[in-house]
Amino acid sequence: PRAGALAAALALAALGLALHARNQVWSSRVALWSDVVAKSPGKARAHMNLGHSLYQAGRLEGAVAEYRQAMLLDTDGTVAWDDLLRNLGAALLGLGRAEEAIPYLRMGLATHPDNDELLSNLAICQLEVGDLGGAESSARRALRVNPHQGSAHNTMGEILYRLHDYPGALQEFRTGLALDPDNGARQYNVALTLEQFGNREATCAAWATALGTPRPAAEQGMIQVRMARLGCAVPR
């Protein structure tokens, strides 16, 4: 009986160690998919999911590397290329490498020409590199496919703002914001555009709303400076 009890205790101890190790893996999605990739390094989907997790964790260089590895390994169609190329493009854009992202987004559109998210991301990249005409064309294509594509509305707003069409820009920014009311960047764009109309009360109200959305401290400081310059009451 004692030997049996000892064996059971050892088995439970071993099980406990295994569960502890697995809990550590599940402690984050990055750890989970890193574990999957380590055990199945030839699986494209594992690399893609690790890329997603790294992207969400803000580790964009790592995400780009995993997305590219998924591209190299995907020979059996287990990975959705439109998703893969869209996210690769987004990661490159986040790294300030918009020009590098554009060919990948075009590659995705070659087989998925009506993917509004690919079109919207392409428009953002084209705007980033100064191609206003290309950005407008891509954003309008995205909106023809999906009129509720908030990112494309925001990009159209940025294009019109640069062209000094402030009424058109404001309409696009407000449409994009209505589709995602918690989007701080779109609220910022609405407030910035309202400054062009000379209505201090409406502009101050818009900046106060922008100040109340989650954003980095540096951006909060920039908004407070703009409000102070306009003579707005700045919340403490």
Side-chain angles (χ1 to χ4, degrees), residues 166-185:
Y166 301 120
L170 183 60
Q171 180 178 344
E172 291 292 344
F173 288 142
R174 281 178 164 166
T175 300
L177 182 61
L179 292 165
D180 186 2
D182 296 324
N183 190 303

Side-chain angles (χ1 to χ4, degrees), residues 4-22:
L6 179 59
L10 290 173
L12 288 172
L15 178 60
L17 287 172
L19 289 173
H20 177 69
R22 180 53 57 182

Side-chain angles (χ1 to χ4, degrees), residues 7 20 27 39 42 67-68 71 74 82 89 100 108 113 123 129 140 149 157 163 168 180 190-192 200 213 230:
H20 177 69
S27 64
K39 293 173 178 173
Y67 289 143
R68 284 177 167 159
M71 290 178 66
D74 184 46
D82 52 339
E100 189 178 343
V129 301
R140 291 195 185 281
Q149 172 54 262
L163 295 173
D180 186 2
V190 166
L192 188 67
R200 190 172 69 87
T213 59
L230 289 168

Side-chain angles (χ1 to χ4, degrees), residues 195-234:
E195 286 190 4
Q196 304 298 324
F197 292 87
N199 185 331
R200 190 172 69 87
E201 183 178 353
T203 304
C204 288
W207 278 127
T209 301
L211 194 62
T213 59
R215 61 183 59 252
E219 292 183 15
Q220 295 284 81
M222 289 172 56
I223 292 174
Q224 289 175 331
V225 168
R226 299 193 77 93
M227 293 180 73
R229 288 176 178 169
L230 289 168
C232 307
V234 182

Side-chain angles (χ1 to χ4, degrees), residues 105-113 118:
L105 296 170
R106 291 193 185 281
M107 189 187 304
L109 287 166
T111 53
H112 298 83
L118 280 169

